[in-house]
Structures are given as structure tokens and as C-alpha cells.
Amino acid sequence: MQLTERRSEGLLRVYDVRVPAAELQQKLTAKLTEIQPRARINGFRPGKVPVAHLRKVYGPGMMQDIINETVQRSTREGLEKVNARPASEPQLDLKSDINKVAAGQEDLQFELSLEVMPDFEPVDLKTISITRPVATVSEAQVDEALNELAKAQRGYDDKDAAAADGDAVVVDFVGSIDGEKFDGGAANDATVVIGSNQFIPGFEEQLIGAKAGDERTLKVTFPEDYPARNLAGKAAEFATTVKAVREPKKGDPDDAWASQLGFDSLAALKGALRQRIENDHAGQSRAKAKRVLFDKLDEEHDFELPPRMVEVEFNQIWRQVEGDKEAGRLDPSDAGKSEDDLKAEYRKIAERRVRLGLLLAEIGRKAKIEVTDQEVTQAIANQARNYPGQERQIFDAYRQNPTLLAQVRAPIYEEKVVDYVLELIKVANKDVTREELFAEDEGPATGEADGEKPKKAKKTKVAKAED
């Protein structure tokens, strides 16, 4: 194999690779000689088929395999030879006539282009400090979760009276705006639990006092931030028929009820609920700390980025933006902006993601962090459980597709690097309420000076992209 560097511009490297035809033919002859003792072809005694005949019968298919193997091996050995660290998957451009190569009439030539890792030194992690929001779990939260579980598990009894707060009302409804029905605005036998806030504001409350057989027109207004932008902020009417009213079954949670759910006692059930809520808090606390950490790392580093990687990342984000736009889900902050302005904003987000990805990869490399096959297998198993009866097909799909395996390995690697970084930096905990912990995005509060309730900051484009 001969490898020659043809271009070196910034992080881009382009190499010409040549593998002599004689080398490929030598490999083919070796393979044919290997199978000759086992070959069985009509008209020849077992093991006595001439190599020339085997070449005619099996040569084309074998040569194709040899070419594929040679390209992969040459790529790997070539990169090792020039000590190149690819920042992304190398691209190959075949320059030879593959039929002539297979026939031994032409050398195998291809162009190998790639972007290499930029040369930079990560900041001393011990100099970074962040604040991590944490929220303790109160007894009231546990009791609330217990009551919700009891309500869901105990079910409902039919009620021959008017619906009240907490009751479940079974209804048929058809929605319309300005007299015109809209997609997704109708349902039959829908269960509406009054006070659950599962429907748009005002819908559930207007069912209070309703009885089976009643017909009501519920007048509501879709929230301004409603996901379907074609409905956001619009007034609507729902022609509703009440089919049944049900009330929660009576009885407070007790040890006997807890045992029906598989717990030794009510105290054990409450302990499990507390642990679940604490896990939720810990996960959200880590997610917010991770985002703050990423902001810090992004601020501390500025190095050349591989253009191809940025372009791939940007295209991925932009496809999502276009999909949201077509579905009427475009972020309100993007409304009214030109396409050029939007592309400029989202390209900066793509650059941030690439920068952080390369930085985490370099930190992990220096710390010798690796993802084990067992961790990858466990992650695939977790995904396969979502497809009962198809687990084997899921595992086979991942084994046969290196790209899918890489998609499983990447987030595991990222989380391990983040864990490593969080151990080294200075992390100060800040006590917050559960509401503050689970707010979409932390931002400067407004209106506190004059006693108004602080407004919740909207999630930034960067946060949405990283989600």
C-alpha cells in the first residue's frame, strides 16, 4: 500500500491511496488455494478442482470481498502511519475502475479525506466551579404522591349525582373554532378527571355540576404556548355529551391496601414513593448541573472546529427546525425572523455542540475513560424491552450496524466523562423548591421588587437543541 498526502488545509487532510493489482491478486490466489481442498464442483473429484477454474467460478465474488477488506485495512493502517486522529468518519472516493481492479488489470486507487482533531489543551478542571440546585423531599410531597396513587389504584364508582372536583366524567365531545371542526378536536368515551389539569384550562371546571345525559357547550381558549401553533391562543367551543359520572372509591390508604400492591406495610410503600421522588430530584439536579457545566466549558474553550462536523450537526438541527415549522410548532422566539437569521443562530448552536463533543472526547481520552461491551449490551437490552417479542431482532440489528452501536455508545461515554468532570470541579449545592428545580430553565427573575410573582424563563434554543 502506498499513501501520499495531497492536501492539508486547516483540519482537513486528503490522502491518495494506491494498492498494487499484484497484491490483490496474491490475496485472491491465497484464498482460492485455501478452499481448493474442500471445493466440490461437478465434473471434478473432491479437492482436485484446478485453481484456475475456482478463480473463474468464485473469483469475482471473492475479489469484491478482498477489495472491501483492503480498503478498510488500508484506511486504518494509513491513518496509523501518519498518526492522524480523525474527528469524524473518513470519506472514501474510489478512483479506479472496479471491474478492471477485480480483473487484475488496474491498481486499486482511492482518495481518503478526513478532518483531524484540533490541537488544544482542556482547561484545568479544578479551576471550574458551578452551583447545583437541589431540593429536599418533604413529607407533604410523599403524601400527595400516596394520595394520587391511591386514587388511581382504588378506581372509581358510578355516581348518581352531579360531578364534583375530583370526579371522573366520561364524555363525547366535538371541538370547533369559528364554527369549523378541527383535527384532533373530537373524542368518544373520553375520561375527564376534574382537577387533574390534563385538559386545556377551563375545560374540566365547566363539567362541575354535570350529570349523566347532560349536554354542555364548553367554551375555552387555547394557551398562547399550545404545541399546535394553528390552535394557540384561539377561542374554541366543545359540544359535549356527558355519558357517566364517577367518584373516587372511598377509603384511606392503609397497610391492607399497601399489601395488595406488594408492600409489607403502608410505611414501606411511602418509603418507596419517597425514594422515587428523590431519584427524580437527583436526576433533574444533575441535568441542570450538567447544563451549567457545559456553559462553563463552552466559555473556557475556543479552538478551530472541523467544518464537516459542524455542517452535519447544523443540518440535523435545521431539519428539526423545519419539521417544527411545518407542524406549526416553531418556537415563539423564532417567529418573524428571516431564514438567514435563524440559520445563523442555529449554526452557533451546532458549533457549540461540536465544540463540547470534541472537548469531552479529549477529556475522556486523557482520563482513559472507556465504554465496556457490557455497558453497551445493557443499554441495548433496555431499549429492546420496549419491543416485547422482538428482542432478538433488536439485538441483531445493533450487532450488524456499527452506526447504531455508535449511537448507543456515545451517550454512555458522555455521561461517564461528565461524572468524571463533576468529581474534579468545585460544586456548591443550592437549596431550591421542587418547582424551581423542575422549571424549564433558570433565568433572571423579574417583578420581585414590586411583589409580583417572578416570571419563569423560557427554555433557550441551546437547551432545546441539547435536549
Side-chain angles (χ1 to χ4, degrees):
M1 177 198 71
Q2 300 172 0
L3 181 141
T4 306
E5 183 178 271
R6 182 154 54 85
R7 286 176 60 193
S8 177
E9 299 175 3
L11 300 177
L12 176 65
R13 302 290 184 273
V14 180
Y15 301 95
D16 289 326
V17 183
R18 177 189 295 270
V19 181
E23 182 178 327
L24 298 176
Q25 291 299 317
Q26 184 179 8
K27 290 180 181 294
L28 177 59
T29 300
K31 281 183 175 290
L32 292 172
T33 303
E34 182 182 351
I35 70 168
Q36 185 184 31
R38 305 188 302 275
R40 294 176 179 273
I41 296 179
N42 291 337
F44 297 94
R45 286 184 298 164
K48 298 299 182 179
V49 182
V51 171
H53 191 73
L54 291 176
R55 183 186 298 272
K56 180 179 179 181
V57 176
Y58 300 117
M62 282 188 169
M63 179 55 78
Q64 187 61 57
D65 292 339
I66 290 172
I67 291 173
N68 292 337
E69 293 170 1
T70 301
V71 168
Q72 295 179 20
R73 177 182 54 79
S74 299
T75 300
R76 183 177 63 255
E77 292 179 354
L79 295 180
E80 292 175 354
K81 181 179 179 180
V82 297
N83 197 27
R85 292 174 52 210
S88 58
E89 193 70 21
Q91 296 183 1
L92 305 177
D93 184 11
L94 187 64
K95 299 297 184 180
S96 304
D97 184 327
I98 196 66
N99 293 321
K100 291 184 178 180
V101 172
Q105 301 170 354
E106 188 174 299
D107 292 344
L108 173 64
Q109 300 179 67
F110 61 93
E111 179 185 275
L112 172 63
S113 63
L114 69 151
E115 291 177 329
V116 297
M117 282 284 290
D119 186 17
F120 67 92
E121 184 67 27
V123 68
D124 183 358
L125 297 175
K126 294 181 180 179
T127 64
I128 294 179
S129 60
I130 67 170
T131 299
R132 174 173 53 199
V134 295
T136 58
V137 179
S138 67
E139 194 65 28
Q141 286 177 262
V142 178
D143 290 339
E144 180 182 356
L146 180 66
N147 291 332
E148 290 296 326
L149 178 63
K151 185 185 296 184
Q153 292 294 331
R154 287 187 182 279
Y156 294 84
D157 286 326
D158 289 336
K159 177 180 180 181
D160 187 19
D165 189 26
D167 288 347
V169 184
V170 181
V171 299
D172 294 343
F173 60 79
V174 177
S176 61
I177 295 177
D178 296 331
E180 296 290 335
K181 298 177 183 178
F182 56 88
D183 292 340
N188 292 323
D189 297 323
T191 298
V192 182
V193 178
I194 300 176
S196 64
N197 297 320
Q198 295 179 337
F199 287 72
I200 58 178
F203 191 98
E204 298 168 10
E205 293 84 346
Q206 295 180 61
L207 291 173
I208 292 177
K211 296 182 179 180
D214 285 358
E215 294 185 357
R216 293 191 172 190
T217 299
L218 311 183
K219 298 182 178 181
V220 298
T221 299
F222 283 95
E224 293 290 344
D225 59 352
Y226 194 70
R229 301 304 301 165
N230 60 314
L231 301 177
K234 293 186 177 180
E237 293 185 354
F238 288 86
T240 306
T241 300
V242 179
K243 304 178 75 171
V245 177
R246 296 170 181 166
E247 62 181 348
K249 291 183 177 180
K250 306 298 182 184
D252 294 327
D254 53 21
D255 288 340
W257 172 72
S259 66
Q260 295 177 3
L261 299 180
F263 292 88
D264 294 335
S265 63
L266 183 62
L269 173 56
K270 291 181 69 173
L273 289 173
R274 176 179 288 277
Q275 184 62 55
R276 188 197 70 185
I277 299 173
E278 287 177 347
N279 290 342
D280 289 344
H281 282 203
Q284 180 67 2
S285 179
R286 186 183 190 280
K288 290 215 165 185
K290 179 179 173 181
R291 184 163 295 153
V292 174
L293 171 63
F294 281 6
D295 288 342
K296 287 280 189 179
L297 292 175
D298 190 47
E299 292 172 3
E300 294 288 341
H301 296 86
D302 183 19
F303 48 83
E304 185 178 6
L305 302 177
R308 287 181 185 173
M309 290 189 70
V310 174
E311 193 64 26
V312 169
E313 196 68 44
F314 168 75
N315 289 337
Q316 179 180 334
I317 296 174
W318 189 248
R319 281 194 298 270
Q320 181 64 48
V321 173
E322 290 184 317
D324 289 344
K325 187 176 182 179
E326 291 177 4
R329 298 192 302 265
L330 189 65
D331 189 279
S333 64
D334 289 340
K337 294 180 180 178
S338 69
E339 184 171 298
D340 289 342
D341 288 342
L342 288 177
K343 285 186 174 181
E345 290 184 24
Y346 283 105
R347 186 169 293 279
K348 289 181 179 179
I349 294 174
E351 291 172 352
R352 167 192 164 96
R353 291 177 64 170
V354 170
R355 185 181 301 108
L356 288 172
L358 294 175
L359 176 60
L360 293 177
E362 183 66 8
I363 292 174
R365 186 185 72 86
K366 288 180 175 293
K368 294 182 172 56
I369 295 174
E370 296 180 351
V371 177
T372 66
D373 291 340
Q374 182 178 359
E375 289 171 324
V376 173
T377 300
Q378 183 60 51
I380 296 174
N382 293 337
Q383 295 190 27
R385 292 192 188 99
N386 296 325
Y387 304 89
Q390 302 180 48
E391 290 86 353
R392 176 51 53 193
Q393 293 93 316
I394 298 297
F395 270 97
D396 289 343
Y398 277 101
R399 288 196 189 97
Q400 298 166 10
N401 192 325
T403 301
L404 288 179
L405 280 177
Q407 291 174 356
V408 173
R409 189 180 297 272
I412 300 174
Y413 182 82
E414 177 180 300
E415 292 305 309
K416 294 183 76 169
V417 175
V418 169
D419 287 338
Y420 168 78
V421 173
L422 288 175
E423 288 293 327
L424 293 179
I425 67 173
K426 301 179 181 69
V427 181
N429 290 335
K430 176 185 178 183
D431 291 326
V432 298
T433 65
R434 176 182 172 84
E435 290 72 20
E436 290 172 324
L437 181 62
F438 283 88
E440 280 191 340
D441 221 14
E442 292 182 344
T446 60
E448 289 182 297
D450 54 7
E452 292 181 8
K453 183 178 179 181
K455 298 176 183 177
K456 184 173 67 175
K458 290 186 178 294
K459 185 175 288 188
T460 64
K461 291 185 180 68
V462 171
K464 289 182 178 179
E466 288 178 351
D467 286 345

